[in-house]
Every structure is written in structure tokens, then in C-alpha cells.
Amino acid sequence: MVTLYINPECPFCIKTVEVAKEVGVPLTVKDVHDPEVSAELLRLGGKIQMPYMTDDATATSMYESDDIMAYLHANYGKEPVG
């Protein structure tokens, strides 16, 4: 399962969620406005920064929207042409 920790107002987070949907990744989205989710993010990643992704299938976790989107394309879809 791929989980994305996001701030729904963050354009980088929104774009990352859109890319996940485009490549067909089954996705759990967690909103860091929830204090429990924010605490979970801090425990997992060590800082409050979004987006943050965890992928249980590959035991991968990472920050940075560009890195997450590249990972999703490489592991679940194809890189767009152009």
C-alpha cells in the first residue's frame, strides 16, 4: 500500500496525488491537519514536510514531490513522453 502524507492546500502535494492516480497506484492519503497524522509523519520521517510517501510493497519512504512522482512512474507506471 502506498501512503501519501499531504497538506491539501500544497500544490506539490496536489500534483503528487494526481500523478499517483494517473499511474493507477492504490493510494491512502493522510491529511497532516489531523494532529494524529502529523505526529505519525514526524515519527516516520523525522520532520513535518509534505508530501511524504511510504510504500509497504517495497519498504520505501521518501520526501520531495519530484522524487515521489519519479518513483511512482518507475514502479507503477511509465514516464510520460516529452
Side-chain angles (χ1 to χ4, degrees):
M1 170 173 51
V2 174
T3 302
L4 278 176
Y5 294 80
I6 68 161
N7 173 342
E9 291 106 32
C10 165
F12 299 106
C13 296
I14 293 166
K15 185 169 182 170
T16 304
V17 170
E18 289 173 359
V19 167
K21 290 178 181 178
E22 286 172 12
V23 298
V25 177
L27 190 63
T28 299
V29 176
K30 295 192 175 189
D31 183 343
V32 298
H33 288 119
D34 178 332
E36 289 181 18
V37 171
S38 189
E40 182 180 327
L41 170 59
L42 185 59
R43 187 180 77 252
L44 291 172
K47 57 186 172 180
I48 302 296
Q49 177 182 327
M50 289 75 59
Y52 178 73
M53 181 208 74
T54 62
D55 185 349
D56 296 339
T58 61
T60 301
S61 58
M62 66 180 66
Y63 289 101
E64 299 298 333
S65 58
D66 286 340
D67 294 340
I68 295 169
M69 290 184 287
Y71 172 87
L72 295 174
H73 278 293
N75 289 277
Y76 293 98
K78 297 183 178 179
E79 285 289 338
V81 177

